[in-house]
């Protein structure tokens, strides 16, 4: 049998990033002629070749592992290995749908938990905490259109918000939500217009917190949550109301 071809994966240029990564990885495995037990490049190399973040790559690998195409082994002798010679297309499709359902759960959980965090932060935040929040927003404004920097500034904003609650249990809960949101944000956010909208809702959120205006805060939080929810719903061909509206639970 001839040796396998070099593993060459096409970069992702699509809105539904993790699904495109799955398709590109599957095609690359077939094109390279890899067989059961063959090793794929490491996570860093794959993420670089695909042009995506490691959280998004791990989301794609999780789907491929759940479908039975690859096996991800941890530790010194670990790596990413082909688990079958036959590409399980139906299983991959099913796993993608399960991953989308998990993403909906994360976005719904964010509404519940982050809303509670913001209200607690409004009560507990010191003047120094609010200054730190404003600093992260200034950083975001300074890097409008620079997606990696904007995402880092956005993450700093949310971490500063959680820290201002001064509650370790809240911090632990929000770390879990943050891990679930990372690949969703990576796949669906971006662009100067979106960055400016993020900047605007962050500034209005801080202003409402300063004024302890609960009505204004509720309004801006709903707008903030809907931004990513709407992009996600559009990306998977659904309506926001079907996934996150008042009747969403009975329709999904």
């Amino acid at each position: 049998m001839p040796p396998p071809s070099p593993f060459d994966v096409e970069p992702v240029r699509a809105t539904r990033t993790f699904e495109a990564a799955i398709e590109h990885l599957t095609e690359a495995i077939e094109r390279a002629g890899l067989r059961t037990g063959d090793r794929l490049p490491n996570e860093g190399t794959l993420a670089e070749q695909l042009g995506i973040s490691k959280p998004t790559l791990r989301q794609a690998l999780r789907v491929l592992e759940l479908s039975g195409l690859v096996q991800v082994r941890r530790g010194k002798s670990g790596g990413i290995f082909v688990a079958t010679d036959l590409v399980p297309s139906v299983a991959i499709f099913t796993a993608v749908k399960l991953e989308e359902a998990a993403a909906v759960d994360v976005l719904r959980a964010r509404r519940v938990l982050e809303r509670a965090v913001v209200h607690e932060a409004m009560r507990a935040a010191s003047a120094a905490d609010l200054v730190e929040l404003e600093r992260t927003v200034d950083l975001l404004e300074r890097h409008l259109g620079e997606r990696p920097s904007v995402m880092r500034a956005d993450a700093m904003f949310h971490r500063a918000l959680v820290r201002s609650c001064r509650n370790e249990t809240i911090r632990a809960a929000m770390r879990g939500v943050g891990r679930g949101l990372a690949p969703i944000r990576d796949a669906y956010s971006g662009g100067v217009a979106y960055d400016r909208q993020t900047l605007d809702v962050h500034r209005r959120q801080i202003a409402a917190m300063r004024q302890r205006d609960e009505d204004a805060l509720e309004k801006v939080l709903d707008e903030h949550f809907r931004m990513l929810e709407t992009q996600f719903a559009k990306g998977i061909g659904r309506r926001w109301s079907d996934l996150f509206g008042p009747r969403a639970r009975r329709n999904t």
Side-chain angles (χ1 to χ4, degrees):
M1 185 175 62
S5 303
F7 193 85
D8 183 22
V9 59
E10 293 291 325
V12 169
R13 299 183 182 89
T15 303
R16 297 170 73 173
T17 312
F18 97 92
E19 292 188 29
I22 290 166
E23 293 173 4
H24 290 207
L25 284 167
T26 302
E27 289 170 3
I29 288 169
E30 291 185 323
R31 190 168 55 245
L34 299 186
R35 297 291 181 263
T36 302
D38 287 341
R39 183 194 291 265
L40 274 66
N42 61 36
E43 283 187 358
T45 300
L46 287 177
E48 184 177 357
Q49 288 182 357
L50 287 161
I52 61 177
S53 70
K54 284 187 178 180
T56 299
L57 173 68
R58 288 172 188 144
Q59 186 183 31
L61 290 173
R62 187 163 60 243
V63 168
L64 292 177
E65 188 168 28
L66 183 62
S67 68
L69 179 58
V70 304
Q71 180 183 23
V72 180
R73 303 175 197 163
R74 305 299 175 188
K76 290 184 179 179
S77 60
I80 307 162
F81 299 87
V82 176
T84 177
D85 290 352
L86 298 172
V87 174
S89 300
V90 173
I92 290 173
F93 176 80
T94 301
V96 166
K97 293 305 175 186
L98 288 172
E99 194 69 19
E100 288 177 355
V104 171
D105 278 355
V106 169
L107 289 165
R108 286 174 175 165
R110 178 200 184 195
R111 270 193 174 259
V112 175
L113 297 175
E114 189 171 319
R115 177 182 176 275
V117 165
V118 174
H119 279 274
E120 176 64 14
M122 180 170 66
R123 185 195 67 79
S126 66
D129 292 328
L130 294 171
V131 168
E132 178 60 19
L133 283 168
E134 288 172 342
R135 186 180 79 87
T136 68
V137 174
D138 290 341
L139 283 170
L140 193 155
E141 184 174 28
R142 199 179 306 163
H143 294 282
L144 289 174
E146 301 170 21
R147 191 161 182 244
S149 297
V150 165
M151 291 181 73
R152 284 196 289 268
D154 181 70
M156 288 173 65
F157 173 86
H158 287 91
R159 287 197 298 271
L161 192 66
V162 172
R163 281 197 304 273
S164 69
C165 295
R166 293 178 175 78
N167 185 302
E168 284 303 315
T169 303
I170 289 175
R171 289 180 71 172
M174 290 308 294
R175 277 196 295 270
V177 173
R179 284 193 294 270
L181 286 173
I184 303 172
R185 284 195 171 110
D186 183 67
Y188 297 102
S189 63
V192 174
Y194 190 92
D195 293 349
R196 290 190 183 280
Q197 190 179 3
T198 301
L199 177 68
D200 178 60
V201 296
H202 282 189
R203 287 206 185 283
R204 285 190 285 124
Q205 180 174 319
I206 295 171
M209 290 173 65
R210 280 191 178 280
Q211 295 161 15
R212 299 186 181 276
D213 186 336
E214 292 197 4
D215 290 339
L217 187 59
E218 283 296 320
K219 183 178 179 181
V220 73
L221 283 177
D222 182 64
E223 184 179 342
H224 192 177
F225 297 147
R226 283 196 186 216
M227 288 171 61
L228 188 57
E229 292 167 356
T230 299
Q231 283 198 331
F232 172 79
K234 183 178 179 181
I236 65 171
R238 300 286 298 278
R239 294 183 301 180
W240 177 89
S241 58
D242 291 338
L243 297 175
F244 305 105
R247 298 172 61 85
R249 282 290 180 190
R250 68 182 66 178
N251 293 336
T252 53

